[in-house]
Amino acid sequence: MTPLSRRLRQEGYALAGWERGVTLFRRSSSTLIDLAAEGEVAAPPTRLQSALLFYDRHAGLIRGVAESRILRRTTTALWVHQRLDLPLLDDRDFTLYVTWGTGGATRWVRFACDNAHGPAPRRGVLRLWTHEGSWQLLPIAGGARSFARYQVRLDLGGSLPRWMARSGVGRSIPDLFEALGRLASNG
């Protein structure tokens, strides 16, 4: 167990599974989808952080992301609008406020809904109001690879039963790690 895994357990997360090198944790006491994941990515933290912030390339690369565009950019923040195309559900959308930085050898990215700075809701697309999380990226293998920790709290809204939402979202996280690794490797 890594020091990060121990910290997740202290925060109330329980082991939910392991697939393709990604360990998934779930906080079942939450009324939201509340997940964390840890795994290695075959890219240095600087490149992985850049891939996370390259939102214009996320559509089609990351499963379920149908649209992704940067609405506004400053030197310390991004506002990003995304639309999700999820199986068996109406599309969902949201605008994220994204920040990033470093702390010692660790790089991080944080995001949270900020729909007031995005486009107006569209007919047939359900607006999400809770979608927040973070990435922590630590160098390993002499800085050639990253140990990544991802946390997300999400409410998919609508009439979707919570048990269905919780089980479906977790299954796609190993795909997310792989897609970001590909984007980081290809620049």
Side-chain angles (χ1 to χ4, degrees), residues 115-185:
N115 291 321
H117 290 92
R122 284 193 261 176
R123 182 187 260 278
V125 178
L126 184 64
R127 175 66 40 101
L128 298 187
W129 295 96
T130 303
H131 184 192
E132 59 193 28
S134 65
W135 286 87
Q136 292 179 346
L137 313 170
L138 297 103
I140 56 174
R145 297 174 63 83
S146 300
F147 182 81
R149 178 184 182 202
Y150 172 57
Q151 284 185 262
V152 64
R153 286 176 23 120
L154 177 67
D155 184 354
L156 287 175
S159 60
L160 177 67
R162 293 207 187 278
W163 65 266
M164 184 184 291
R166 286 187 202 149
S167 64
V169 171
R171 286 192 301 251
S172 66
I173 290 182
D175 295 333
L176 175 63
F177 274 64
E178 288 178 1
L180 289 168
R182 283 191 307 275
L183 183 56
S185 296

Side-chain angles (χ1 to χ4, degrees), residues 32-48:
L32 304 173
I33 297 167
D34 197 341
L35 302 170
E38 297 178 338
E40 291 186 20
V41 178
T46 54
R47 290 189 60 118
L48 187 54

Side-chain angles (χ1 to χ4, degrees), residues 66-105:
E67 292 177 23
S68 184
R69 61 189 167 102
I70 297 172
L71 303 173
R72 183 172 164 225
R73 180 189 313 262
T74 70
T75 57
T76 59
L78 298 172
W79 284 263
V80 178
H81 180 260
Q82 291 190 326
R83 181 177 58 82
L84 305 178
D85 179 9
L86 304 171
L88 307 174
L89 300 176
D90 290 336
D91 286 4
R92 268 64 172 162
D93 82 339
F94 47 85
T95 297
L96 295 177
Y97 172 69
V98 183
T99 59
W100 62 91
T102 60

